[in-house]
Amino acid sequence: MASENEISFDGIRKPKPPKAIGPPRILFVGNSHIEYFVSTPTLFKELCDANNININVQQLVTMGVSLDKVYYTNKTEANQNFSNIDKDGNYYDYVVLQESTPIALKNVEKYRTNLKLFAEKIHQNSPDAAIYVYQNMSPLSYTNSQYDKYHKELRKNTILAAAFIKNAGVLRVGDAVKDAYDGKNGYQYLKNNKDNLRDGKHVLHFLNDGGFLQAVLLYSTVFNTTPIIPKKLILSTGTGDNDNMRKQAVHNAISNPKALEEIAFSNR
């Protein structure tokens, strides 16, 4: 049964977080869309630190698999996490659940089943956790004629799947990415004929611009405000084998942070 939390103008429910005693806790569950060239949990924590929000960040991330396989791959750690309790009655205050794109796109029943698998385990010791179901972005290049079709299908399926989870809403990643590609707020995704948001041959992973957009979107969605952006963030030095993540000046590593902030906030 769907929860009776607030419905926004576009039909997406807004989960209500529990009242935390002490620092709240967030759990990221998913695959390489959460962490690859850049790390959303790391960036989110940096944004929180810069805005004087003390929050504990945890993650269960496995490359290239669906949510059920994330659980079974990390079963011991997952079960330990889900058995933990907090004095305020909710060990986790926020949870991000990111399904694999093929399942989110083609198999709504499996999508719901996998979300339910985690929701039931989370609710054992976090009955009031605010769950954000990750809206996958279109897996195709923006120049592909089928980009919009895949985007709409993923958006629809995410809303349908999230509707059956208690106190759950949608983290509108796909919408924010499409807005960036569409040039909202003056953002230009092409630089020297290269995509500034995502890179990859078979799977498109977030580059610095995309990772920044995703982290600011999550912050804006959870706290309903735009974060103060620190001068430096841990971002990728590139996509090669010798590249890694390290502290870099935002104005050098991100092509148009202001435009991406505005796109993120409008999709909260």
Side-chain angles (χ1 to χ4, degrees):
M1 181 179 175
S3 62
E4 296 179 358
N5 40 328
E6 177 190 345
I7 307 276
S8 70
F9 72 93
D10 55 7
I12 294 176
R13 292 180 293 135
K14 303 290 184 184
K16 185 178 180 180
K19 290 183 179 179
I21 298 173
R25 190 174 284 106
I26 185 170
L27 173 67
F28 292 84
V29 184
N31 58 37
S32 53
H33 293 306
I34 298 290
E35 181 169 274
Y36 196 72
F37 295 126
V38 287
S39 169
T40 300
T42 298
L43 289 171
F44 178 73
K45 181 69 165 69
E46 287 187 293
L47 292 178
C48 289
D49 289 346
N51 288 267
N52 297 313
I53 296 173
N54 188 8
I55 191 166
N56 293 312
V57 176
Q58 295 181 5
Q59 64 186 74
L60 291 171
V61 173
T62 302
M63 300 296 110
V65 301
S66 54
L67 278 173
D68 55 329
K69 290 181 180 175
V70 172
Y71 172 70
Y72 291 114
T73 302
N74 303 279
K75 193 171 182 179
T76 301
E77 181 185 355
N79 287 341
Q80 177 60 56
N81 288 348
F82 297 140
S83 69
N84 289 331
I85 59 175
D86 209 346
K87 58 186 176 183
D88 61 20
N90 289 281
Y91 184 73
Y92 291 113
D93 302 276
Y94 306 96
V95 179
V96 176
L97 296 178
Q98 182 251 312
E99 183 56 277
S100 68
T101 304
I103 287 178
L105 186 61
K106 301 288 187 182
N107 193 339
V108 178
E109 287 304 316
K110 178 72 170 173
Y111 197 174
R112 286 175 178 166
T113 300
N114 285 352
L115 292 175
K116 186 179 177 184
L117 167 72
F118 271 96
E120 287 179 347
K121 295 183 180 302
I122 289 161
H123 287 151
Q124 289 173 12
N125 288 309
S126 306
D128 304 313
I131 295 178
Y132 288 96
V133 180
Y134 185 107
Q135 178 203 349
N136 294 52
M137 61 202 129
S138 178
L140 303 175
S141 165
Y142 182 64
T143 57
N144 190 301
S145 62
Q146 298 294 302
Y147 179 95
D148 280 2
K149 176 185 173 184
Y150 279 48
H151 167 73
K152 289 173 184 175
E153 193 71 11
L154 283 162
R155 190 180 202 280
K156 179 189 74 175
N157 291 350
T158 305
I159 293 170
L160 286 173
F164 287 83
I165 305 300
K166 173 189 169 186
N167 197 27
V170 173
L171 180 64
R172 296 174 55 191
V173 177
D175 287 348
V177 169
K178 185 177 186 304
D179 280 353
Y181 277 130
D182 286 346
K184 296 284 178 69
N185 300 100
Y187 179 77
Q188 295 182 334
Y189 81 95
L190 278 180
K191 186 177 182 182
N192 300 323
N193 210 31
K194 186 167 171 42
D195 188 335
N196 246 4
L197 287 167
R198 304 184 295 170
D199 181 73
K201 290 182 180 178
H202 304 295
V203 179
L204 295 169
H205 289 111
F206 278 136
L207 297 171
N208 287 340
D209 276 20
F212 176 83
L213 173 63
Q214 178 158 275
V216 176
L217 171 65
L218 178 59
Y219 184 100
S220 300
T221 303
V222 168
F223 301 118
N224 199 33
T225 187
T226 302
I228 295 167
I229 306 298
K231 290 184 178 179
K232 291 186 176 183
L233 288 169
I234 296 176
L235 297 160
S236 174
T237 59
T239 59
D241 291 340
N242 296 321
D243 286 298
N244 53 29
M245 287 180 264
R246 62 174 173 80
K247 281 271 190 187
Q248 297 176 68
V250 170
H251 72 272
N252 288 332
I254 307 296
S255 69
N256 190 340
K258 188 62 181 172
L260 292 170
E261 287 174 58
E262 291 170 352
I263 290 169
F265 189 70
S266 68
N267 282 285
R268 70 195 187 284

